[in-house]
Amino acid sequence: MYKLLIVDDEKMIRQGIKDGIEWEKLGIAEVYTAASAEKAMDIIERIHPQIMLTDISMEKMTGLDLISRIRNSPDDKEMRIIVLSGYSQFDYAKQCLQMQVQNFLLKPVDEEELIRNVSQQLEVLEQNRISRELETKMKRSEGIRRQMALEQFMRELVHQRCQNGKSSSWPEEVLEERNSPVEAVLLIQDACINIDKLADINLLQMTIKNICMELVDFKREGVTFFDDDGRIIIAFFCSEEGDSVEEQAEELCKVLENECDVMVRLVLGSRVERMDLLFISYNDALYLSNLNMKGNHEVIKSSREETKGKIIQDVYQEFRQSMMADITNTGEMMHIYERFSQAMVSYHLSRQQVQRWCFDLAAGIYMAYIMETGEKPDGRVDTLLSVLIGTTREDALEVTRMFLSNLVADEEKNQHQIVTEARRYIDEHLDVDISVASLAEMFYVSPNYFSRLFKKISGCGCNKYIVEKRMAKARVLLETTTIKTGKIAIMVGYHDTNYFSLAFKKHIGMAPTIYRDTFQKNR
């Protein structure tokens, strides 16, 4: 259904046109009127009607001026416009033609002629809509085809089915990375409560894979794919700059834990210098995973790499990591700091050692806060440094406590607002691609921070919230319309009908088509 706007400074004319025609029968659901071009622009900016009937001769801004502004607007330049004028001058008609007006009708307008003209514009709008939908489907199909080809190519690499790394052609997505270092990471999904059916396991696997793609593939930091045995593999592109693969893996583990309520372990293979050697890194990860089948670490790496992290056994590092693990949980963070303060006193450390650790701790948490929240850094760390120098051990601990208290107070002000706005956006955009990564980017925070924050305030993971809202909308559409299941899937944000059916059956207990039939029979 479409929207139509009638613009005329004579009330009798605009109301007569609005009330004298059964617009709904033509396919127009909403009809608006404006007594001036200025009011018409206000309606257009808010409502964006697809068809406009307008007079030319109006005070202040003429109909021609109105048309000119519309044609220069990126949001409404495709509007279908019919001019209704009491003047038959050739110049008016010529100007209208130059501004791509669809027709020029003289007042008084015959009702049948007006209906015929509007119907012609509706036919054009409908044809354009069908063309856009077809183009979107073709683009989506092409995207799915390319993704399948990319994943198949990656399987060929890790299973050594490409002779010397050669194939008919390298996919465009990895062509630039062909001669760059790469590292294979194997994702191991630990046993999950309430996952006992094959369909549930498949749905969970697809969900985990999609989240990995959002956080890795879409940022062009790697490629996520299934190997021949159905394991999720991530080929991370290594870089001399930016986060290490280990840091990216740790971030990914935390997001998956929050969003899927499942514990996962990522096993890091060795770094290889070219992508055609990816099978070496992949085999290293497989071998290492067999040695650590019952490991408790989220990220598993070789013993050579583990030696770099021995300092974590130090008590201070344990406190520091615990505090930085979840800066959204301000109460827990300050509780850990109190234990840290008691430990510093009980260990009888020197004043200089406490000063150094207090500054390192505060500066690290402040940097994590800045990186995750997107706040602009200020000079408070420099101020802290100048205050700490020369203080006693007890004063250093108290100054640092005050620094952290002020920091978390600033953070708590923004937390509820971010989640409230995120939920509102989700509710209003269920038909488009929504992900933890895209929402985090929208609010200028890291995916891990946003994921933890959303779960803390909402009581459930962001991905679960999105799915529940989509399932609720799908149920309403199945109950109240005859729209095909494939189209409903798109309307609630699923481009893969099979994925939608799996998700719907998981949440509702039956397939979409069966649900509709059952509901209609019961009704």
Side-chain angles (χ1 to χ4, degrees):
M1 300 290 278
Y2 296 96
K3 293 173 283 190
L4 178 140
L5 172 62
I6 303 168
V7 188
D8 200 300
D9 56 4
E10 295 186 36
K11 183 176 181 180
M12 184 178 297
I13 294 178
R14 62 178 184 269
Q15 286 300 130
I17 295 175
K18 178 180 180 181
D19 300 333
I21 297 176
E22 296 184 70
W23 295 109
E24 286 192 5
K25 290 185 178 181
L26 298 180
I28 295 177
E30 302 171 44
V31 179
Y32 302 87
T33 63
S36 66
E38 291 88 346
K39 292 181 179 179
M41 281 305 305
D42 179 61
I43 293 174
I44 290 169
E45 290 173 357
R46 290 185 294 106
I47 307 300
H48 302 292
Q50 294 90 355
I51 302 178
M52 182 176 72
L53 311 177
T54 182
D55 189 15
I56 287 182
S57 180
M58 293 181 287
E59 295 182 358
K60 294 183 180 179
M61 184 191 297
T62 69
L64 294 176
D65 294 331
L66 173 62
I67 295 169
S68 178
R69 289 183 60 175
I70 292 171
R71 290 306 184 220
N72 290 322
S73 169
D75 296 328
D76 301 288
K77 62 182 179 180
E78 299 299 327
M79 182 191 294
R80 313 297 293 180
I81 300 174
I82 298 174
V83 171
L84 310 177
S85 176
Y87 302 93
S88 60
Q89 286 94 331
F90 175 73
D91 288 343
Y92 279 159
K94 183 178 179 181
Q95 290 183 61
C96 289
L97 182 62
Q98 291 172 343
M99 288 188 287
Q100 299 177 338
V101 169
Q102 274 60 53
N103 212 337
F104 184 95
L105 304 179
L106 292 176
K107 295 179 180 178
V109 181
D110 180 74
E111 181 178 318
E112 292 185 1
E113 183 180 10
L114 181 58
I115 291 174
R116 183 170 61 256
N117 274 270
V118 171
S119 297
Q120 290 173 353
Q121 306 316 314
L122 289 170
E123 289 178 6
V124 174
L125 288 170
E126 190 65 14
Q127 290 173 2
N128 291 343
R129 183 189 65 81
I130 294 172
S131 297
R132 286 194 299 270
E133 287 184 355
L134 180 60
E135 183 180 357
T136 300
K137 289 179 180 178
M138 292 177 64
K139 288 182 178 179
R140 187 175 296 128
S141 298
E142 174 62 16
I144 293 173
R145 186 196 64 77
R146 291 183 60 174
Q147 180 64 29
M148 292 177 62
L150 172 62
E151 294 187 24
Q152 180 60 35
F153 178 81
M154 299 303 294
R155 280 191 288 275
E156 291 179 359
L157 280 184
V158 297
H159 293 295
Q160 293 178 265
R161 290 195 289 264
C162 293
Q163 294 297 323
N164 297 322
K166 295 180 180 179
S167 68
S168 56
S169 62
W170 279 69
E172 182 181 341
E173 292 81 359
V174 294
L175 188 59
E176 292 184 3
E177 308 294 337
R178 180 175 182 176
N179 295 315
S180 300
V182 67
E183 186 170 336
V185 174
L186 169 63
L187 188 148
I188 300 176
Q189 173 193 319
D190 287 348
C192 182
I193 300 175
N194 298 326
I195 298 294
D196 54 1
K197 296 180 180 179
L198 180 61
D200 292 346
I201 295 174
N202 291 339
L203 176 61
L204 179 61
Q205 281 283 87
M206 293 176 68
T207 301
I208 291 174
K209 178 172 176 283
N210 285 344
I211 292 176
C212 291
M213 291 178 67
E214 291 166 7
L215 298 176
V216 179
D217 300 43
F218 295 167
K219 295 180 180 180
R220 300 188 66 82
E221 294 176 353
V223 180
T224 305
F225 59 98
F226 288 115
D227 68 3
D228 284 355
D229 295 318
R231 291 177 290 243
I232 297 176
I233 308 297
I234 306 174
F236 278 100
F237 303 147
C238 300
S239 172
E240 298 300 329
E241 301 177 357
D243 294 337
S244 69
V245 170
E246 182 182 348
E247 291 171 337
Q248 291 172 290
E250 290 173 349
E251 174 90 359
L252 189 56
C253 276
K254 293 172 183 176
V255 172
L256 290 173
E257 179 181 348
N258 286 327
E259 294 303 319
C260 300
D261 291 324
V262 61
M263 292 297 296
V264 297
R265 288 177 291 152
L266 297 183
V267 185
L268 278 59
S270 57
R271 168 174 167 156
V272 292
E273 296 307 311
R274 300 191 316 274
M275 187 168 288
D276 60 332
L277 301 176
L278 183 63
F279 69 92
I280 298 176
S281 180
Y282 168 77
N283 289 329
D284 286 347
L286 284 180
Y287 175 75
L288 191 57
S289 69
N290 292 328
L291 296 179
N292 293 270
M293 288 300 293
K294 297 182 180 180
N296 295 320
H297 299 291
E298 290 182 339
V299 177
I300 303 171
K301 49 189 177 180
S302 67
S303 58
R304 183 176 63 254
E305 292 295 324
E306 285 181 339
T307 57
K308 300 178 181 178
K310 291 301 182 182
I311 195 171
I312 299 176
Q313 298 174 7
D314 183 271
V315 174
Y316 164 68
Q317 290 295 340
E318 290 289 346
F319 277 119
R320 188 176 188 274
Q321 286 193 347
S322 297
M323 291 185 67
M324 295 181 65
D326 187 358
I327 65 172
T328 62
N329 193 340
T330 54
E332 179 65 16
M333 187 174 73
M334 294 307 298
H335 175 68
I336 295 173
Y337 180 77
E338 295 303 325
R339 291 165 48 205
F340 164 78
S341 298
Q342 294 171 7
M344 295 303 100
V345 174
S346 62
Y347 293 158
H348 302 290
L349 298 173
S350 68
R351 175 174 61 88
Q352 293 85 355
Q353 183 65 68
V354 172
Q355 288 174 346
R356 283 196 295 268
W357 279 358
C358 280
F359 179 76
D360 180 70
L361 177 65
I365 292 175
Y366 179 70
M367 177 174 287
Y369 170 79
I370 292 297
M371 293 177 67
E372 294 205 348
T373 64
E375 293 288 333
K376 292 184 178 179
D378 51 32
R380 69 176 77 183
V381 172
D382 293 335
T383 302
L384 174 66
L385 177 60
S386 63
V387 172
L388 283 175
I389 296 175
T391 59
T392 64
R393 181 178 59 183
E394 289 74 15
D395 286 345
L397 292 168
E398 182 59 28
V399 167
T400 306
R401 177 186 293 105
M402 293 175 60
F403 176 91
L404 295 175
S405 296
N406 291 332
L407 185 65
V408 298
D410 291 343
E411 180 187 4
E412 287 180 337
K413 294 178 183 178
N414 299 324
Q415 288 182 353
H416 285 276
Q417 182 179 357
I418 289 176
V419 175
T420 299
E421 293 181 3
R423 286 191 297 218
R424 183 184 299 116
Y425 179 85
I426 292 168
D427 295 346
E428 296 174 355
H429 297 82
L430 292 174
D431 59 329
V432 301
D433 291 332
I434 311 174
S435 66
V436 173
S438 63
L439 289 169
E441 184 177 356
M442 183 184 302
F443 294 103
Y444 304 101
V445 297
S446 74
N448 183 31
Y449 176 84
F450 177 81
S451 181
R452 286 184 282 123
L453 181 61
F454 193 98
K455 189 169 187 178
K456 170 190 171 184
I457 294 177
S458 300
C460 69
C462 180
N463 192 65
K464 182 179 180 181
Y465 181 85
I466 294 170
V467 172
E468 289 178 349
K469 287 294 182 178
R470 283 175 167 164
M471 292 301 104
K473 182 176 179 180
R475 286 181 63 180
V476 172
L477 291 171
L478 288 167
E479 293 171 2
T480 60
T481 73
T482 59
I483 300 173
K484 293 183 178 180
T485 303
K487 189 169 183 181
I488 289 178
I490 294 174
M491 293 172 70
V492 296
Y494 288 87
H495 301 313
D496 186 329
T497 304
N498 293 331
Y499 187 18
F500 167 68
S501 296
L502 277 172
F504 190 89
K505 187 173 182 180
K506 164 68 176 176
H507 286 78
I508 309 302
M510 61 183 75
T513 52
I514 298 176
Y515 177 83
R516 169 178 276 165
D517 292 341
T518 303
F519 178 84
Q520 291 178 351
K521 288 178 181 178
N522 292 337
R523 184 176 59 177

